Amino acid sequence: MSPGVLYLVPTPIGNRGDITRRALEVLAEVDLVLCEDTRRSGQLLRDYALHKPLQSHHKFNEHQSIGRLMGMLGEGKSIALVSDAGTPGISDPGFLVVRAALAAGHAVEALPGPTALIPALVQSGIPCDRFCFEGFLPVKKGRQTRLLELAQETRTMVLYESPHRLLKTLAQLAQTCGEERQASVSRELSKKFSETVRGSLASLQTHFQKQEPRGEFVIVLAGR
Ligand code: SAM
């Protein structure tokens, strides 16, 4: 452990056993843990008998807290950033504090670990040698433009989606990419009721019309 380092520490997306030994070592050593939800991350730390100061760091306060955090790194303190689940910075806060730390000359180290996009991609059966991560589609403004751009993309695409928007997104992807475009939908990865459904966009819509979408979803879409 070096002083004055900002660590990005992935945490489980489902099964608690997915936390790495190194993640626990870093969490045990740092001076401060930044997290989205202090109750949730507090529970994770308690599960491992780790007693660390926690500070909330989410999209609504990350701009304001950056100055103080840079001060701490400058004093040689080490900080771990975790998100509610998965890898910080992946559809979660992280980018702003990483950019600020690097600009101020501090070291940043990201630990490998859980994230939803990689298991969904590699078990999709769709080529995973080249892919692009799209995260969540824009909800309103820019959504149609993005859908049309994605229809032309030749690499495999990975998208995150919420249960209540899954069917709408599958329908819009079918409109722009064609009903026969192949895709894979993974839900509740690394959890007890994990399930992956593969097929054309048309067949996936039929599946989720019959079976109400529940839980967290990753869509993997074949390129053009
Ligand atoms: N930082 C996280 C990561 O590294 O994957 C992503 C956080 S983002 C706020 C939450 C979204 O990630 C969910 O809406 C879902 O699309 C996806 N996700 C997270 N956990 C998941 C899981 N266990 N199964 C399927 N999708 C998941």
Side-chain angles (χ1 to χ4, degrees), residues 13 85-87 90-92 115-116 136 160-161 188-189 191 216-218:
I13 57 164
T87 297
I90 298 297
S91 295
D92 267 335
T115 185
F136 293 97
Y160 282 172
E161 198 45 279
E188 300 289 81
L189 287 156
K191 298 184 193 176
E216 299 191 280
F217 287 87
V218 183

Side-chain angles (χ1 to χ4, degrees), residues 2 6 11 38 52 94 105 143 172 177-178 184 197 199:
S2 318
L6 171 67
T11 54
T38 51
K52 286 286 150 183
R143 187 176 172 92
Q172 291 180 322
C177 304
S184 163
V197 191

Side-chain angles (χ1 to χ4, degrees), residues 94-177:
F95 166 66
L96 285 180
V97 66
V98 166
R99 183 175 64 178
L102 294 174
H106 302 301
V108 174
E109 189 173 345
L111 271 56
T115 185
L117 73 111
I118 297 296
L121 171 69
V122 296
Q123 72 182 21
S124 68
I126 296 171
C128 54
D129 50 342
R130 296 173 70 232
F131 70 95
C132 57
F133 175 61
E134 283 294 320
F136 293 97
L137 286 173
V139 175
K140 288 197 179 107
K141 194 165 175 281
R143 187 176 172 92
Q144 187 60 14
T145 311
R146 182 74 55 82
L147 284 161
L148 292 171
E149 282 167 7
L150 294 185
Q152 298 309 315
E153 173 61 58
T154 53
R155 293 169 295 178
T156 297
M157 291 152 269
V158 184
L159 298 101
Y160 282 172
E161 198 45 279
S162 66
H164 64 272
R165 222 174 275 122
L166 180 78
L167 266 172
K168 177 178 172 186
T169 297
L170 290 175
Q172 291 180 322
L173 288 171
Q175 273 164 18
T176 50
C177 304

Side-chain angles (χ1 to χ4, degrees), residues 31-47:
D31 298 294
L32 175 70
V33 177
L34 294 178
C35 60
E36 288 184 273
D37 179 342
T38 51
R39 274 178 306 179
R40 189 171 170 143
S41 298
Q43 186 58 53
L44 178 83
L45 294 182
R46 277 194 297 281
D47 287 351

